[in-house]
Amino acid sequence: MSVHLLASSSSWIESDAVAQCHQVAALDGMLHVAGMPDLHPGKGAPIGAAMRSRVLYPFLVGSDIGCGIAVFPVGLKRAVPEKLAARFPDLDRAVDPAEVDEEIPAGHTDSLGTVGRGNHFVELARVDAVLDAVHAERAGLAWGDLVLIVHSGSRGLGERILRAHTETHGAGPAEDPAAYLAAHDDAVRWGSLNRRLLAARVGEAIGADIGEAVVDECHNLVEVLQNNEDDGHYLHRKGAARGDGRDVLIAGTRGTPSFLVAAHAGPEANWSVAHGAGRKMSRSDALTRGKAKHTVEELRRTPVGSLVVCGDRQLLFEEAPTAYKKIERVIDDLVAFGLATPILSTLPLVTYKTAEKGRRR
């Protein structure tokens, strides 16, 4: 068993997160734990880690199976944040399943087309800088283009799947890996469907054409490896995106850039890359410190001039940009360790967290 942290000495990683990596590495059958530069402590297992094992451990994936980030091109000639923010729909209100024209995985009709809370969001952003012209052209994006970034998961389905396991087996391995994987795969498909539904709802509300996703990568999942050396091993990712030759959107905060990268991580990183900036404060710390430094109105307009749609004052403080690590540092570490090539950066125009009170529709 081994632990490898893919973060430079100038990156701040909490000791509790490192300790969790070593605790995971001590599990029966564990082979290798890779900590990403956005590593931070989670409930029982680190967030921002990829963990390879001979044994399948559902708790290492967590409850939000299928959580990921998708990027959709937006066909809109003029983007005025104030006007668009007012037109965002209520993404806490579920859509009618009868309106969904494709099969709903696991028949899970609860919360369809909703974004959820925590760090989930839907963001209208603009391509602010092209960092690799060849990769950007391949992705079909250019400077000034508008995109919709959707970060959401399986909205209760994954929690139900994990609870069915933990009620009997706690943090132990899956008794029937095939059965868990079948349910898990449903949650991954459900999360992808939900991100498409969210994008369609926003596009309709703001009067914009939404293109096919240029990126839709999950960062809470387990995969069964199929290669000569690791055939049949389980690769758990919790807050880590697949980095084996894919494009991945690594989210910053609602007041900082996000970065689209071409990922090319190898076995030392468990073929994975970071999924975001990573928290540097707990939610309670962010709430306490934020209230001492900021007003609610200050948090509704970010330093880059973007607007935040959020009717939950506590969530505004918990998810303040200052609660997260510097996204540029995370990207620099990925480059330094040879895990990814930055393609472009985006800057937020409107970030939706939850509907404003009195404007639900």
Side-chain angles (χ1 to χ4, degrees):
M1 67 193 81
S2 58
V3 174
H4 188 66
L5 297 181
L6 296 134
S8 64
S9 58
S10 58
S11 292
W12 181 73
I13 305 289
E14 287 181 72
S15 59
D16 286 351
V18 177
Q20 284 188 333
C21 286
H22 285 279
Q23 290 164 7
V24 167
L27 293 171
D28 289 343
M30 192 59 59
L31 298 167
H32 181 56
V33 176
M36 300 295 117
D38 60 338
L39 185 74
H40 55 286
K43 293 181 180 179
I47 300 171
M51 300 153 281
R52 179 161 39 100
S53 174
R54 296 186 184 93
V55 179
L56 174 55
Y57 289 99
F59 90 98
L60 293 182
V61 178
S63 61
D64 198 7
I65 305 165
C67 184
I69 296 178
V71 180
F72 302 86
V74 176
L76 196 64
K77 292 182 179 179
R78 191 161 176 260
V80 180
E82 290 80 3
K83 291 183 178 179
L84 293 172
R87 294 172 65 181
F88 261 63
D90 179 359
L91 299 178
D92 298 329
R93 182 178 296 169
V95 300
D96 185 343
E99 298 176 3
V100 179
D101 59 2
E102 59 183 286
E103 182 183 353
I104 299 171
H108 183 67
T109 57
D110 292 346
S111 304
L112 271 172
T114 64
V115 65
R117 295 296 181 93
N119 64 348
H120 293 163
F121 64 86
V122 176
E123 181 172 280
L124 182 68
R126 189 187 303 277
V127 176
D128 182 59
V130 172
L131 307 172
D132 187 298
V134 174
H135 279 301
E137 184 177 5
R138 174 182 54 76
L141 294 173
W143 180 86
D145 285 352
L146 295 179
V147 294
L148 196 69
I149 301 171
V150 181
H151 177 199
S152 189
S154 54
R155 301 296 290 112
L157 177 57
E159 182 179 7
R160 188 178 78 193
I161 293 167
L162 180 64
R163 188 170 59 248
H165 169 80
T166 56
E167 284 177 349
T168 304
H169 305 288
E175 183 178 49
D176 185 345
Y180 171 80
L181 287 170
H184 161 282
D185 292 351
D186 277 342
V188 170
R189 287 191 293 270
W190 200 99
S192 181
L193 167 63
N194 200 51
R195 289 187 284 276
R196 296 196 302 275
L197 290 175
L198 285 163
R201 294 186 70 186
V202 172
E204 182 179 9
I206 67 174
D209 292 329
I210 304 294
E212 294 292 323
V214 297
V215 169
D216 186 6
E217 280 302 320
C218 180
H219 50 239
N220 284 2
L221 77 163
V222 62
E223 81 178 280
V224 183
L225 295 177
Q226 296 178 341
N227 57 51
N228 293 333
E229 186 177 348
D230 301 295
D231 193 39
H233 292 166
Y234 300 102
L235 179 50
H236 313 75
R237 293 185 176 94
K238 187 174 178 64
R242 294 181 289 188
D244 51 350
R246 303 164 185 268
D247 290 347
V248 177
L249 191 287
I250 301 178
T253 72
R254 65 193 187 214
T256 61
S258 293
F259 288 83
L260 182 67
V261 306
H264 39 73
E268 189 175 53
N270 275 336
W271 303 278
S272 304
V273 293
H275 79 309
R279 293 195 74 92
K280 70 177 181 181
M281 294 183 201
S282 68
R283 294 188 178 279
S284 59
D285 284 347
L287 185 61
T288 301
R289 296 182 188 186
K291 285 186 173 180
K293 291 183 178 181
H294 305 289
T295 66
V296 168
E297 290 309 312
E298 286 173 341
L299 293 178
R300 292 188 190 279
R301 184 177 289 275
T302 75
V304 298
S306 63
L307 298 180
V308 180
V309 178
C310 184
D312 184 331
R313 293 188 173 207
Q314 180 171 322
L315 190 61
L316 269 174
F317 289 105
E318 291 177 348
E319 288 293 305
T322 51
Y324 285 82
K325 302 176 186 182
K326 290 184 179 296
I327 184 61
E328 293 84 359
R329 179 72 266 166
V330 171
I331 300 300
D332 286 348
D333 280 359
L334 293 176
V335 172
F337 282 91
L339 307 184
T341 298
I343 298 174
L344 55 83
S345 63
T346 65
L347 270 185
L349 297 174
V350 178
T351 304
Y352 177 100
K353 299 292 291 181
T354 184
E356 296 281 6
K357 293 178 180 178
R359 281 174 38 194
R360 295 181 180 271
R361 58 192 185 281

